[in-house]
Amino acid sequence: MHVLHVVGARPNFMKASPVMRAIQAYPGVRQTLVHTGQHYDANMSDVFFRQLELPAPDVNLGVGSGSHARQTAEVMIGFEQVMLDRRPDVVLVYGDVNSTVAAALVCAKLRVSFAHVEAGVRSHDRSMPEEINRIVTDRLADLLLTPSEDADRNLRADGVDPFKIRFVGNVMIDSLVRLLPAAQAVNDQQIPEQFALVTLHRPSNVDDSANLRSLLEAFVEINNDLRIVFPVHPRTRRKLEAIGAEFRDLLILDPLPYIEFLGIQSRATAVLTDSGGVQAETTYLGVPCLTLRNNTEWPVTVELGSNVLVGNDRQRLRQELMRILEGRVRKASVPPLWDGHAGERIARIVCEMWPS
């Protein structure tokens, strides 16, 4: 059997690594890794391959940045030829980036079976490009591998054949569990003992200049009580430079490799983020998370974890942060099957459905 994996951006790498490792245990299975090149910055791509022990890609399409339409189209053009050349038995796509939906469309047109890892996740906000990618990918997939029980419910509500749905758990947590000891051993002298970690990259936050400026002013305010550590996404940095932002005393960092970021995240007093992946990671780590959005694709992190949606409300952000500093945080729990073994469950299902 020939399994082909498609990755394009940092979150995909963390999901594909455990699956590829688990599939290696099955004899007679050949694997091909296609990197679309959607993330091309070395700290956003190359170093993640090394730290996650992903093999070098068999194919790198090198699509780079661009509008959603251009990026999706270029992945489709390049990936179609890969499919015609490689002829896999099944394709695995991950998450919700443009590379994911582009590969899904190509597979559907060529009538090649594909499985969606992290299927059924929904924010119910179609202004998010990722939400469109999720919906389209799930409608076309032959196998839907879900990370949480609410994802199963979303798919059933969409009328998906229950036979296609398999609850396997959050595979991104597999990478976290495996690399957490190495991450906690990293000692970065510039990071203060107590701090709030900030990540910011969603268009809803960084493309609106007034909103972005307001968030930065809130971070500067918070910095008076709790030091802000802010690894700045390349896209966010460009937007901040465009509005002439002043960081003042914030600790601004370049994008961090996975292990270094995980180490800092695990030690944070609080995390302020608009990232879905970070919401999931903080839930497993038990680190209080304040999400700078009005919705989340991970409602389980709000129901079971210490994640709180604060949107763009600076007063709410301040209030929730004070609750954290005063130790008034509810006890969180880890969602079912977020146990570090999702990759093994995925490998077993895929190899049973498409045997050698």
Side-chain angles (χ1 to χ4, degrees):
M1 179 178 69
H2 181 191
V3 181
L4 187 147
H5 307 260
V6 182
V7 297
R10 183 195 109 151
N12 295 165
F13 310 152
M14 294 181 286
K15 295 160 192 168
S17 176
V19 177
M20 293 192 73
R21 184 177 296 103
I23 289 177
Q24 285 175 357
Y26 289 80
V29 180
R30 177 163 61 96
Q31 300 189 79
T32 295
L33 180 61
V34 176
H35 182 7
T36 68
Q38 184 174 329
H39 271 175
Y40 51 90
D41 179 274
N43 274 354
M44 301 294 282
S45 183
D46 296 354
V47 71
F48 283 87
F49 272 76
R50 293 196 300 273
Q51 292 189 343
L52 294 165
E53 298 178 1
L54 272 168
D58 298 282
V59 179
N60 191 326
L61 300 179
V63 299
S65 61
S67 70
H68 286 282
R70 179 179 295 276
Q71 194 175 66
T72 303
E74 290 188 1
V75 172
M76 289 183 69
I77 292 167
F79 185 61
E80 181 181 54
Q81 190 58 54
V82 171
M83 291 288 285
L84 293 172
D85 292 342
R86 303 275 175 158
R87 299 189 177 278
D89 297 296
V90 61
V91 173
L92 266 62
V93 300
Y94 298 83
D96 55 20
V97 298
N98 288 338
S99 299
T100 305
V101 72
L105 286 164
V106 170
C107 288
K109 294 281 188 176
L110 294 178
R111 302 186 71 179
V112 175
S113 297
F114 80 95
H116 184 200
V117 177
E118 201 177 88
V121 172
R122 297 286 186 273
S123 67
H124 304 290
D125 178 3
R126 293 200 180 189
S127 69
M128 294 176 62
E130 296 88 349
E131 186 77 353
I132 304 303
N133 293 346
R134 295 174 194 128
I135 292 168
V136 173
T137 302
D138 285 344
R139 294 302 295 181
L140 298 174
D142 299 280
L143 176 63
L144 298 118
L145 300 158
T146 62
S148 55
E149 291 165 327
D150 64 284
D152 285 33
R153 292 193 293 271
N154 290 333
L155 293 172
R156 289 195 297 269
D158 284 346
V160 173
D161 181 351
F163 178 76
K164 294 183 176 182
I165 303 169
R166 299 288 190 281
F167 175 35
V168 295
N170 191 339
V171 73
M172 188 169 63
I173 300 301
D174 291 24
S175 291
L176 185 155
V177 170
R178 187 171 68 86
L179 294 175
L180 186 57
Q184 291 178 328
V186 174
N187 184 19
D188 191 333
Q189 298 293 335
Q190 67 177 325
I191 304 300
E193 186 174 340
Q194 284 199 314
F195 63 95
L197 175 64
V198 170
T199 80
L200 203 64
H201 75 282
R202 295 281 180 191
S204 58
N205 281 326
V206 303
D207 287 357
D208 183 320
S209 297
N211 193 25
L212 182 59
R213 193 181 298 278
S214 177
L215 282 170
L216 188 64
E217 289 171 358
F219 299 154
V220 170
E221 235 177 70
I222 290 167
N223 197 60
N224 294 323
D225 298 312
L226 184 64
R227 192 76 192 278
I228 294 287
V229 176
F230 190 0
V232 183
H233 189 283
R235 184 172 182 278
T236 305
R237 185 178 288 275
R238 290 193 295 272
K239 297 293 184 179
L240 288 166
E241 289 170 352
I243 66 171
E246 294 183 11
F247 298 115
R248 301 187 204 175
D249 294 328
L250 307 187
L251 180 51
I252 303 299
L253 305 176
D254 288 331
L256 294 169
Y258 178 64
I259 287 177
E260 287 76 2
F261 180 80
L262 179 57
I264 292 174
Q265 187 179 196
S266 69
R267 296 193 297 275
T269 305
V271 174
L272 317 181
T273 189
D274 58 9
S275 162
V278 170
Q279 294 171 55
E281 289 169 344
T282 52
T283 291
Y284 183 87
L285 294 169
V287 174
C289 179
L290 302 180
T291 296
L292 306 168
R293 289 166 48 190
N294 294 315
N295 54 54
T296 177
E297 55 278 290
W298 295 105
V300 68
T301 67
V302 177
E303 295 162 12
L304 299 181
S306 56
N307 185 20
V308 177
L309 301 180
V310 297
N312 300 321
D313 188 333
R314 286 173 62 173
Q315 184 176 358
R316 177 87 189 278
L317 173 60
R318 186 77 180 174
Q319 288 172 344
E320 292 296 337
L321 189 64
M322 291 309 299
R323 287 170 61 88
I324 293 168
L325 292 175
E326 293 166 3
R328 295 187 290 122
V329 180
R330 68 177 178 139
K331 184 175 175 57
S333 59
V334 177
L337 299 191
W338 291 26
D339 57 3
H341 298 287
E344 297 160 33
R345 288 186 282 270
I346 291 169
R348 183 178 65 252
I349 293 167
V350 168
C351 292
E352 286 175 353
M353 290 190 69
W354 289 278
S356 301

